[in-house]
Amino acid sequence: MSKLSEQDIEAKLLHFPDWEYYDNAIHAEFEFENFKDCFSAMSRIAFECEALNHHPDWSNVYNILTISLSTHDANGVTNKDFKLAEAIETIVEPDEE
Ligand SMILES: C[C@H](O)[C@H](O)[C@H]1CNC2=NC(N)=NC(=O)C2=N1
């Protein structure tokens, strides 16, 4: 999977308002009601990661989940990252298009 250009990434990000591009990765932060809801979302995301064989750099502090996506093999952002970002959006914000 080849690395996307900065221009392609910025164009795709128009459809991903929660995400921004810097440091060769796309990043988002999600806030939940509490730790239980946050960790529950993380568990569901983990199954998607396994299904897609693509994994986030992420961290959690109580009800906050911070995620960075990049493709290590390509040393940048690829369509795999956008596919995972889409799956994450569906889990975290199921009511949004
Ligand atoms: C061997 C396995 O396919 C690779 O290590 C996969 C697993 N998950 C991955 N996740 C991410 N984010 N980038 C990768 O390059 C990557 N590679």
XYZ file of all heavy atoms in Angstrom:
811
model
N 0.876 -1.201 0.000
C 0.000 0.000 0.000
C 0.900 1.233 0.000
O 1.778 1.359 0.845
C -0.888 -0.054 1.245
C -1.813 1.116 1.433
S -3.504 1.055 0.826
C -3.915 -0.656 0.620
N 0.677 2.137 -0.992
C 1.610 3.265 -1.086
C 1.124 4.470 -0.284
O -0.081 4.706 -0.117
C 1.853 3.624 -2.546
O 0.643 3.919 -3.165
N 2.084 5.198 0.175
C 1.859 6.394 0.990
C 1.096 7.449 0.187
O 1.428 7.699 -0.978
C 3.254 6.893 1.384
C 3.320 8.120 2.213
C 4.776 8.428 2.555
C 4.893 9.809 3.145
N 6.225 10.048 3.704
N 0.086 8.072 0.812
C -0.688 9.127 0.140
C 0.061 10.452 0.221
O 0.795 10.704 1.193
C -2.048 9.281 0.807
C -2.996 8.073 0.726
C -4.175 8.259 1.679
C -3.496 7.872 -0.699
N -0.155 11.312 -0.755
C 0.454 12.649 -0.719
C -0.290 13.506 0.312
O -1.450 13.218 0.660
C 0.346 13.307 -2.093
O -1.005 13.624 -2.357
N 0.354 14.544 0.770
C -0.271 15.454 1.732
C -1.572 16.032 1.166
O -2.563 16.184 1.876
C 0.719 16.570 2.099
C 0.193 17.435 3.216
C 1.262 18.326 3.848
O 2.452 18.140 3.554
O 0.870 19.206 4.622
N -1.549 16.312 -0.122
C -2.744 16.860 -0.789
C -3.902 15.846 -0.769
O -5.050 16.210 -0.479
C -2.373 17.198 -2.225
C -3.339 18.124 -2.910
C -2.923 18.414 -4.346
O -1.947 17.833 -4.853
N -3.643 19.278 -5.015
N -3.603 14.589 -1.055
C -4.631 13.537 -1.013
C -5.177 13.356 0.404
O -6.373 13.168 0.608
C -4.057 12.198 -1.488
C -3.906 12.146 -2.992
O -4.496 12.995 -3.690
O -3.181 11.245 -3.483
N -4.274 13.410 1.374
C -4.688 13.243 2.773
C -5.624 14.376 3.179
O -6.703 14.135 3.737
C -3.452 13.191 3.707
C -2.631 11.923 3.420
C -3.866 13.242 5.175
C -1.230 11.946 3.999
N -5.250 15.611 2.862
C -6.086 16.760 3.239
C -7.447 16.694 2.547
O -8.471 17.040 3.144
C -5.379 18.082 2.927
C -4.146 18.355 3.789
C -4.432 18.482 5.295
O -5.599 18.553 5.693
O -3.447 18.502 6.066
N -7.477 16.208 1.306
C -8.754 16.072 0.581
C -9.641 15.036 1.266
O -10.839 15.254 1.463
C -8.490 15.689 -0.871
N -9.058 13.922 1.659
C -9.833 12.877 2.339
C -10.314 13.345 3.704
O -11.413 12.993 4.148
C -8.982 11.611 2.516
C -8.843 10.795 1.242
C -7.972 9.587 1.469
C -7.847 8.740 0.232
N -9.078 8.000 -0.069
N -9.494 14.148 4.373
C -9.853 14.603 5.722
C -11.084 15.508 5.731
O -11.691 15.700 6.784
C -8.663 15.313 6.381
C -7.565 14.384 6.899
C -6.430 15.202 7.500
C -8.093 13.396 7.931
N -11.465 16.035 4.583
C -12.697 16.832 4.516
C -13.899 15.981 4.929
O -14.893 16.494 5.430
C -12.899 17.389 3.103
C -11.829 18.375 2.617
C -12.069 18.745 1.158
C -11.804 19.627 3.488
N -13.777 14.664 4.753
C -14.852 13.742 5.155
C -14.650 13.199 6.576
O -15.454 12.395 7.050
C -14.933 12.569 4.170
C -15.136 12.991 2.756
N -16.351 13.433 2.280
C -14.262 13.083 1.726
C -16.209 13.766 0.999
N -14.963 13.566 0.646
N -13.581 13.602 7.217
C -13.264 13.118 8.569
C -12.962 14.307 9.490
O -11.814 14.557 9.855
C -12.034 12.189 8.522
C -12.275 10.870 7.839
C -12.169 10.751 6.454
C -12.621 9.748 8.577
C -12.397 9.540 5.830
C -12.847 8.527 7.957
C -12.731 8.428 6.579
N -13.999 15.056 9.865
C -13.784 16.289 10.624
C -13.133 16.093 12.002
O -12.569 17.048 12.539
C -15.194 16.881 10.757
C -16.127 15.781 10.406
C -15.410 14.840 9.527
N -13.205 14.892 12.551
C -12.574 14.654 13.860
C -11.063 14.467 13.761
O -10.379 14.424 14.788
C -13.148 13.381 14.517
C -14.618 13.513 14.855
O -15.050 14.635 15.161
O -15.330 12.484 14.807
N -10.567 14.343 12.544
C -9.167 13.941 12.363
C -8.335 15.069 11.766
O -8.821 15.863 10.965
C -9.105 12.733 11.425
C -9.802 11.532 11.995
C -11.158 11.314 12.025
C -9.214 10.407 12.656
N -11.430 10.115 12.650
C -10.263 9.540 13.044
C -7.887 10.040 12.949
C -10.020 8.331 13.706
C -7.658 8.835 13.610
C -8.722 7.995 13.987
N -7.055 15.131 12.179
C -6.144 16.067 11.516
C -4.814 15.392 11.207
O -4.449 14.383 11.834
C -5.955 17.357 12.323
C -5.538 17.190 13.734
C -5.365 18.536 14.439
O -5.072 19.549 13.793
O -5.502 18.547 15.670
N -4.133 15.973 10.231
C -2.883 15.397 9.748
C -1.692 16.218 10.230
O -1.630 17.423 10.011
C -2.891 15.371 8.218
C -1.588 14.915 7.596
C -1.136 13.617 7.764
C -0.814 15.793 6.846
C 0.058 13.192 7.200
C 0.386 15.374 6.265
C 0.816 14.063 6.461
O 1.995 13.651 5.911
N -0.773 15.564 10.887
C 0.532 16.158 11.210
C 1.471 15.018 11.598
O 1.007 13.897 11.881
C 0.458 17.222 12.324
C -0.142 16.769 13.626
C 0.633 16.123 14.595
C -1.498 16.970 13.897
C 0.079 15.696 15.795
C -2.055 16.553 15.096
C -1.257 15.913 16.032
O -1.807 15.494 17.219
N 2.760 15.285 11.605
C 3.772 14.278 11.983
C 3.578 12.955 11.241
O 3.682 11.871 11.840
C 3.746 14.028 13.497
C 4.228 15.219 14.293
O 4.818 16.141 13.688
O 4.001 15.251 15.522
N 3.229 13.041 9.959
C 3.167 11.831 9.131
C 2.089 10.826 9.558
O 2.212 9.623 9.306
C 4.539 11.126 9.162
C 5.058 10.843 7.789
O 4.534 11.329 6.790
N 6.090 10.016 7.721
N 1.043 11.324 10.257
C -0.044 10.445 10.703
C -1.327 11.258 10.811
O -1.281 12.492 10.823
C 0.300 9.835 12.058
N -2.469 10.565 10.891
C -3.726 11.259 11.178
C -4.098 10.985 12.640
O -3.893 9.875 13.145
C -4.861 10.888 10.198
C -5.090 9.382 10.107
C -4.575 11.488 8.819
C -6.328 8.987 9.294
N -4.653 12.012 13.279
C -4.857 11.973 14.730
C -6.285 12.403 15.080
O -6.827 13.319 14.452
C -3.909 12.929 15.440
C -2.475 12.782 15.038
N -1.585 12.023 15.743
C -1.787 13.287 13.980
C -0.402 12.067 15.151
N -0.493 12.830 14.086
N -6.835 11.768 16.128
C -8.142 12.191 16.650
C -8.181 11.945 18.152
O -7.446 11.094 18.680
C -9.269 11.427 15.970
N -9.040 12.712 18.811
C -9.244 12.509 20.249
C -10.740 12.402 20.496
O -11.507 13.219 19.981
C -8.664 13.710 21.007
C -8.670 13.512 22.513
C -8.028 14.702 23.228
O -6.787 14.781 23.245
O -8.780 15.540 23.724
N -11.151 11.379 21.246
C -12.570 11.169 21.530
C -12.805 11.180 23.036
O -12.048 10.580 23.796
C -13.034 9.827 20.949
C -12.881 9.749 19.452
C -11.820 9.052 18.894
C -13.769 10.399 18.607
C -11.657 8.983 17.510
C -13.610 10.342 17.228
C -12.562 9.630 16.684
N -13.893 11.852 23.410
C -14.242 11.933 24.833
C -15.531 11.149 25.074
O -16.505 11.275 24.315
C -14.447 13.404 25.231
C -14.714 13.564 26.706
C -14.820 15.021 27.129
O -14.498 15.915 26.316
O -15.237 15.258 28.270
N -15.542 10.351 26.126
C -16.705 9.530 26.483
C -17.249 9.974 27.838
O -16.616 10.782 28.530
C -16.281 8.052 26.541
C -15.805 7.520 25.208
C -14.488 7.729 24.804
C -16.666 6.857 24.350
C -14.040 7.273 23.573
C -16.223 6.395 23.115
C -14.918 6.604 22.729
N -18.390 9.413 28.201
C -19.009 9.742 29.496
C -18.093 9.347 30.658
O -18.000 10.052 31.652
C -20.326 8.970 29.659
C -21.483 9.515 28.859
C -22.012 10.809 29.461
O -22.316 10.842 30.668
O -22.090 11.790 28.693
N -17.456 8.205 30.517
C -16.670 7.652 31.622
C -15.689 6.615 31.069
O -15.677 6.344 29.853
C -17.603 7.011 32.669
C -18.598 6.063 32.013
O -18.211 5.251 31.167
N -19.878 6.174 32.358
N -14.891 6.030 31.931
C -13.874 5.048 31.539
C -14.506 3.800 30.915
O -14.006 3.264 29.921
C -13.037 4.650 32.770
C -12.067 3.546 32.478
C -10.918 3.785 31.729
C -12.295 2.261 32.953
C -10.021 2.767 31.449
C -11.400 1.241 32.675
C -10.256 1.486 31.928
N -15.628 3.372 31.489
C -16.266 2.140 30.997
C -16.677 2.283 29.533
O -16.442 1.389 28.722
C -17.492 1.829 31.873
C -18.093 0.480 31.611
C -19.282 0.264 32.550
C -20.144 -0.878 32.041
N -21.412 -0.956 32.778
N -17.289 3.401 29.192
C -17.709 3.628 27.799
C -16.492 3.722 26.878
O -16.508 3.234 25.741
C -18.526 4.919 27.676
C -19.919 4.753 28.251
O -20.281 3.626 28.646
O -20.647 5.759 28.321
N -15.444 4.374 27.372
C -14.231 4.535 26.574
C -13.587 3.175 26.306
O -13.260 2.829 25.157
C -13.269 5.458 27.328
S -11.819 5.907 26.387
N -13.451 2.396 27.357
C -12.778 1.101 27.204
C -13.623 0.141 26.378
O -13.089 -0.692 25.620
C -12.437 0.491 28.572
C -11.390 -0.566 28.460
C -10.050 -0.216 28.383
C -11.734 -1.901 28.388
C -9.070 -1.195 28.246
C -10.767 -2.881 28.253
C -9.431 -2.536 28.182
N -14.930 0.270 26.489
C -15.829 -0.546 25.669
C -15.613 -0.238 24.183
O -15.523 -1.147 23.345
C -17.280 -0.279 26.095
O -18.157 -0.732 25.120
N -15.516 1.056 23.849
C -15.242 1.451 22.454
C -13.882 0.913 22.016
O -13.730 0.412 20.896
C -15.296 2.965 22.312
N -12.896 0.991 22.894
C -11.559 0.483 22.553
C -11.599 -1.014 22.249
O -10.934 -1.489 21.323
C -10.575 0.765 23.694
C -10.260 2.235 23.864
S -9.225 2.582 25.299
C -7.622 2.065 24.694
N -12.397 -1.756 23.022
C -12.511 -3.206 22.780
C -13.111 -3.461 21.406
O -12.634 -4.322 20.650
C -13.405 -3.864 23.830
O -12.889 -3.640 25.094
N -14.143 -2.704 21.067
C -14.784 -2.899 19.760
C -13.834 -2.493 18.635
O -13.761 -3.165 17.597
C -16.117 -2.136 19.707
C -17.222 -2.895 20.442
C -18.534 -2.142 20.484
N -18.477 -1.102 21.488
C -19.014 0.103 21.370
N -19.642 0.435 20.265
N -18.936 0.963 22.352
N -13.104 -1.418 18.846
C -12.117 -0.991 17.845
C -11.046 -2.074 17.669
O -10.614 -2.358 16.543
C -11.484 0.364 18.252
C -12.514 1.482 18.148
C -10.268 0.676 17.380
C -12.093 2.795 18.822
N -10.642 -2.683 18.779
C -9.589 -3.715 18.708
C -9.992 -4.853 17.782
O -9.163 -5.370 17.018
C -9.290 -4.241 20.112
N -11.261 -5.257 17.829
C -11.714 -6.332 16.930
C -11.634 -5.893 15.467
O -11.272 -6.682 14.598
C -13.138 -6.776 17.299
C -13.173 -7.668 18.510
C -13.615 -7.185 19.729
C -12.741 -8.982 18.434
C -13.624 -7.993 20.856
C -12.756 -9.815 19.553
C -13.203 -9.314 20.780
N -11.985 -4.645 15.209
C -11.883 -4.115 13.830
C -10.435 -4.114 13.355
O -10.140 -4.428 12.209
C -12.447 -2.693 13.752
C -13.936 -2.623 13.610
C -14.456 -3.306 12.348
O -13.784 -3.252 11.290
O -15.533 -3.890 12.430
N -9.538 -3.737 14.255
C -8.102 -3.707 13.915
C -7.629 -5.094 13.516
O -6.877 -5.245 12.538
C -7.276 -3.221 15.102
S -7.629 -1.544 15.577
N -8.065 -6.078 14.265
C -7.661 -7.440 13.938
C -8.240 -7.857 12.597
O -7.556 -8.485 11.780
C -8.101 -8.396 15.054
C -7.188 -8.353 16.253
C -5.756 -8.765 15.914
O -5.486 -9.963 15.771
O -4.911 -7.857 15.771
N -9.493 -7.508 12.363
C -10.146 -7.865 11.089
C -9.431 -7.205 9.915
O -9.272 -7.812 8.847
C -11.621 -7.471 11.123
N -8.989 -5.966 10.113
C -8.329 -5.213 9.025
C -6.817 -5.448 9.004
O -6.132 -4.968 8.095
C -8.608 -3.706 9.181
C -10.072 -3.258 9.049
C -10.222 -1.790 9.455
C -10.572 -3.447 7.615
N -6.313 -6.130 10.007
C -4.867 -6.297 10.205
C -4.138 -4.947 10.118
O -3.133 -4.787 9.436
C -4.272 -7.295 9.203
C -2.840 -7.656 9.554
O -2.462 -7.614 10.728
N -2.030 -7.965 8.552
N -4.697 -3.984 10.841
C -4.114 -2.644 10.868
C -4.376 -2.087 12.261
O -5.493 -2.188 12.762
C -4.753 -1.774 9.783
C -3.912 -0.609 9.407
N -2.663 -0.739 8.872
C -4.139 0.731 9.512
C -2.151 0.457 8.651
N -3.029 1.358 9.034
N -3.359 -1.492 12.867
C -3.432 -1.209 14.301
C -3.051 0.237 14.619
O -2.118 0.776 14.020
C -2.517 -2.184 15.040
C -2.876 -3.624 14.769
N -2.405 -4.298 13.669
C -3.707 -4.472 15.411
C -2.918 -5.529 13.663
N -3.717 -5.652 14.709
N -3.760 0.837 15.559
C -3.501 2.242 15.888
C -2.383 2.404 16.917
O -2.082 1.481 17.684
C -4.825 2.679 16.519
C -5.340 1.442 17.189
C -4.886 0.286 16.332
N -1.778 3.579 16.935
C -1.039 4.026 18.116
C -2.100 4.755 18.925
O -2.711 5.701 18.406
C 0.064 5.028 17.734
C 1.182 4.358 16.953
O 1.066 3.152 16.683
O 2.144 5.053 16.614
N -2.335 4.337 20.137
C -3.393 4.984 20.907
C -3.059 5.039 22.379
O -2.195 4.306 22.871
C -4.752 4.343 20.646
C -4.935 2.890 21.016
C -4.012 2.059 21.608
C -6.112 2.098 20.816
N -4.557 0.829 21.770
C -5.838 0.808 21.311
C -7.370 2.346 20.287
C -6.781 -0.226 21.275
C -8.298 1.329 20.251
C -8.010 0.058 20.729
N -3.746 5.958 23.079
C -3.610 6.002 24.527
C -4.948 6.407 25.125
O -5.796 7.017 24.461
C -2.505 6.975 24.953
O -2.860 8.276 24.618
N -5.116 6.022 26.374
C -6.362 6.289 27.079
C -6.049 6.867 28.448
O -5.196 6.358 29.166
C -7.148 4.961 27.208
C -8.145 4.964 28.343
O -8.048 4.150 29.260
N -9.088 5.877 28.302
N -6.722 7.974 28.768
C -6.679 8.521 30.126
C -8.127 8.703 30.571
O -8.844 9.552 30.023
C -5.923 9.868 30.182
C -5.935 10.418 31.604
C -4.495 9.712 29.689
N -8.575 7.882 31.512
C -9.954 7.856 32.020
C -10.986 7.806 30.882
O -11.208 6.726 30.313
C -10.194 9.022 32.992
C -11.607 9.028 33.534
C -12.165 7.867 34.097
C -12.408 10.168 33.474
C -13.476 7.851 34.570
C -13.714 10.155 33.957
C -14.239 8.995 34.500
O -15.533 8.995 34.949
N -11.588 8.946 30.514
C -12.652 8.919 29.490
C -12.179 9.470 28.137
O -13.000 9.745 27.264
C -13.867 9.733 29.964
C -13.539 11.202 30.158
O -12.403 11.550 30.424
N -14.530 12.057 30.026
N -10.887 9.655 27.984
C -10.342 10.222 26.743
C -9.542 9.165 25.997
O -8.670 8.506 26.573
C -9.402 11.428 27.035
C -10.086 12.494 27.895
C -8.851 12.009 25.735
C -11.115 13.334 27.179
N -9.845 9.032 24.731
C -9.111 8.116 23.856
C -8.410 8.937 22.773
O -9.046 9.703 22.058
C -10.093 7.125 23.204
C -9.525 6.204 22.132
C -8.412 5.329 22.673
C -10.648 5.339 21.543
N -7.100 8.801 22.690
C -6.298 9.521 21.700
C -5.742 8.505 20.714
O -5.146 7.501 21.129
C -5.135 10.273 22.395
O -5.683 11.078 23.432
C -4.399 11.158 21.419
N -5.981 8.760 19.427
C -5.593 7.782 18.399
C -4.754 8.445 17.307
O -5.087 9.532 16.827
C -6.846 7.172 17.727
C -7.761 6.524 18.771
C -6.445 6.136 16.671
C -9.032 5.921 18.185
N -3.682 7.776 16.916
C -2.893 8.177 15.751
C -2.834 6.992 14.794
O -2.596 5.859 15.230
C -1.465 8.548 16.155
O -1.484 9.610 17.071
N -3.068 7.293 13.531
C -3.026 6.226 12.523
C -1.983 6.546 11.466
O -1.971 7.634 10.892
C -4.392 6.077 11.837
C -5.586 5.730 12.723
C -6.858 5.658 11.884
C -5.360 4.420 13.462
N -1.125 5.564 11.214
C -0.195 5.638 10.092
C 0.124 4.204 9.705
O -0.181 3.269 10.449
C 1.084 6.384 10.472
O 1.817 5.632 11.404
N 0.715 4.049 8.535
C 1.083 2.716 8.069
C 2.592 2.597 8.193
O 3.330 3.246 7.443
C 0.605 2.502 6.620
O -0.809 2.727 6.583
C 0.917 1.096 6.141
N 3.030 1.820 9.145
C 4.465 1.739 9.457
C 5.248 1.268 8.229
O 6.304 1.820 7.924
C 4.697 0.818 10.654
C 3.793 1.111 11.820
N 3.191 0.154 12.589
C 3.358 2.313 12.301
C 2.444 0.725 13.522
N 2.512 2.036 13.368
N 4.683 0.264 7.560
C 5.371 -0.304 6.385
C 5.608 0.747 5.289
O 6.571 0.656 4.542
C 4.548 -1.446 5.775
C 4.511 -2.664 6.677
O 5.251 -2.679 7.680
O 3.746 -3.603 6.372
N 4.685 1.723 5.176
C 4.783 2.745 4.122
C 5.418 4.033 4.639
O 5.616 4.975 3.880
C 3.405 3.044 3.542
N 5.656 4.074 5.938
C 6.241 5.266 6.564
C 5.384 6.524 6.321
O 5.894 7.595 6.026
C 7.676 5.473 6.060
C 8.466 6.368 6.981
O 8.196 6.421 8.176
N 9.425 7.098 6.419
N 4.065 6.353 6.408
C 3.165 7.489 6.197
C 1.714 7.032 6.249
O 1.415 5.942 6.756
N 0.830 7.866 5.729
C -0.609 7.584 5.757
C -1.025 6.934 4.433
O -0.642 7.409 3.355
C -1.405 8.883 6.012
C -2.898 8.636 5.939
C -1.023 9.477 7.364
N -1.778 5.850 4.531
C -2.282 5.158 3.340
C -3.802 5.001 3.451
O -4.396 5.356 4.473
C -1.664 3.742 3.193
O -2.171 2.935 4.272
C -0.141 3.777 3.242
N -4.388 4.393 2.429
C -5.833 4.144 2.467
C -6.221 3.203 3.604
O -7.352 3.233 4.072
C -6.303 3.584 1.126
C -6.472 4.691 0.100
O -6.872 5.815 0.441
N -6.153 4.409 -1.142
N -5.286 2.372 4.047
C -5.567 1.486 5.187
C -5.915 2.304 6.424
O -6.765 1.912 7.217
C -4.339 0.630 5.509
C -4.135 -0.558 4.611
C -3.000 -1.401 5.174
C -2.829 -2.679 4.368
N -1.782 -3.528 4.939
N -5.243 3.438 6.585
C -5.504 4.297 7.751
C -6.901 4.912 7.660
O -7.606 5.007 8.670
C -4.421 5.368 7.858
C -3.065 4.736 8.058
O -2.909 4.018 9.055
O -2.187 4.911 7.193
N -7.291 5.290 6.457
C -8.630 5.871 6.296
C -9.717 4.809 6.469
O -10.795 5.096 6.983
C -8.730 6.594 4.959
C -8.083 7.949 5.023
C -6.793 8.145 4.547
C -8.734 9.017 5.617
C -6.174 9.388 4.646
C -8.132 10.269 5.722
C -6.846 10.446 5.231
N -9.413 3.584 6.068
C -10.370 2.497 6.262
C -10.585 2.251 7.761
O -11.720 2.083 8.222
C -9.842 1.224 5.580
C -10.916 0.334 5.131
C -10.523 -0.582 4.002
C -11.784 -1.361 3.690
N -11.651 -2.534 2.986
N -9.487 2.244 8.501
C -9.608 2.052 9.957
C -10.274 3.267 10.609
O -11.118 3.107 11.499
C -8.228 1.770 10.569
C -8.190 1.533 12.076
C -9.168 0.433 12.503
C -6.774 1.177 12.531
N -9.933 4.477 10.158
C -10.569 5.688 10.710
C -12.091 5.627 10.505
O -12.860 6.001 11.399
C -9.986 6.934 10.045
N -12.509 5.143 9.358
C -13.944 5.017 9.064
C -14.601 4.030 10.031
O -15.681 4.293 10.576
C -14.099 4.538 7.619
C -15.430 4.854 7.018
C -15.472 4.497 5.539
O -14.405 4.472 4.878
O -16.575 4.221 5.062
N -13.940 2.903 10.251
C -14.472 1.898 11.181
C -14.538 2.473 12.592
O -15.519 2.252 13.323
C -13.593 0.654 11.148
N -13.526 3.217 12.981
C -13.501 3.833 14.310
C -14.648 4.827 14.460
O -15.353 4.838 15.467
C -12.129 4.507 14.568
C -11.042 3.441 14.723
C -12.187 5.419 15.798
C -9.611 3.978 14.716
N -14.876 5.637 13.435
C -15.983 6.612 13.466
C -17.328 5.905 13.662
O -18.180 6.382 14.406
C -16.013 7.420 12.169
C -14.930 8.464 12.070
C -15.110 9.617 13.059
O -16.258 9.957 13.390
O -14.090 10.152 13.498
N -17.506 4.793 12.976
C -18.774 4.053 13.075
C -18.987 3.528 14.494
O -20.116 3.487 14.987
C -18.774 2.885 12.066
O -18.467 3.426 10.786
C -20.116 2.208 11.993
N -17.896 3.145 15.138
C -18.002 2.625 16.507
C -18.208 3.764 17.507
O -19.060 3.692 18.391
C -16.730 1.820 16.858
C -16.718 0.516 16.064
C -16.646 1.549 18.358
C -15.391 -0.199 16.045
N -17.461 4.830 17.342
C -17.435 5.899 18.336
C -18.629 6.840 18.183
O -19.175 7.330 19.172
C -16.099 6.674 18.211
C -16.108 7.954 19.004
C -14.957 5.788 18.661
N -19.024 7.104 16.930
C -20.126 8.032 16.682
C -21.118 7.380 15.719
O -21.227 7.811 14.573
C -19.583 9.342 16.092
C -18.275 9.745 16.763
C -18.080 11.229 16.898
O -18.987 11.901 17.402
O -17.020 11.699 16.495
N -21.836 6.335 16.188
C -22.669 5.540 15.283
C -23.793 6.313 14.597
O -24.290 5.883 13.558
C -23.244 4.433 16.174
C -23.072 4.922 17.554
C -21.921 5.860 17.549
N -24.205 7.463 15.148
C -25.320 8.203 14.553
C -24.892 9.126 13.421
O -25.726 9.646 12.700
C -26.047 9.025 15.628
C -26.691 8.105 16.635
O -27.106 7.008 16.241
O -26.752 8.474 17.811
N -23.580 9.335 13.297
C -23.111 10.263 12.257
C -22.882 9.524 10.948
O -22.579 8.348 10.931
C -21.823 10.948 12.716
C -22.114 11.964 13.800
C -20.866 12.729 14.208
O -19.856 12.656 13.500
O -20.928 13.383 15.249
N -23.041 10.255 9.877
C -22.819 9.672 8.537
C -21.335 9.505 8.287
O -20.551 10.327 8.664
C -23.398 10.608 7.486
C -24.915 10.676 7.574
C -25.595 9.582 6.794
O -25.442 9.556 5.560
O -26.278 8.746 7.412
C 2.810 -8.371 9.825
C 1.622 -7.445 9.779
O 0.881 -7.635 8.635
C 2.068 -5.994 9.831
O 2.965 -5.814 10.889
C 0.920 -5.016 9.897
C 0.129 -5.104 11.185
N -0.486 -3.850 11.568
C -0.036 -2.676 11.116
N -0.545 -1.544 11.581
C -0.095 -0.362 11.173
N -0.632 0.757 11.668
N 0.874 -0.278 10.253
C 1.451 -1.354 9.695
O 2.332 -1.230 8.844
C 0.977 -2.622 10.129
N 1.458 -3.729 9.633
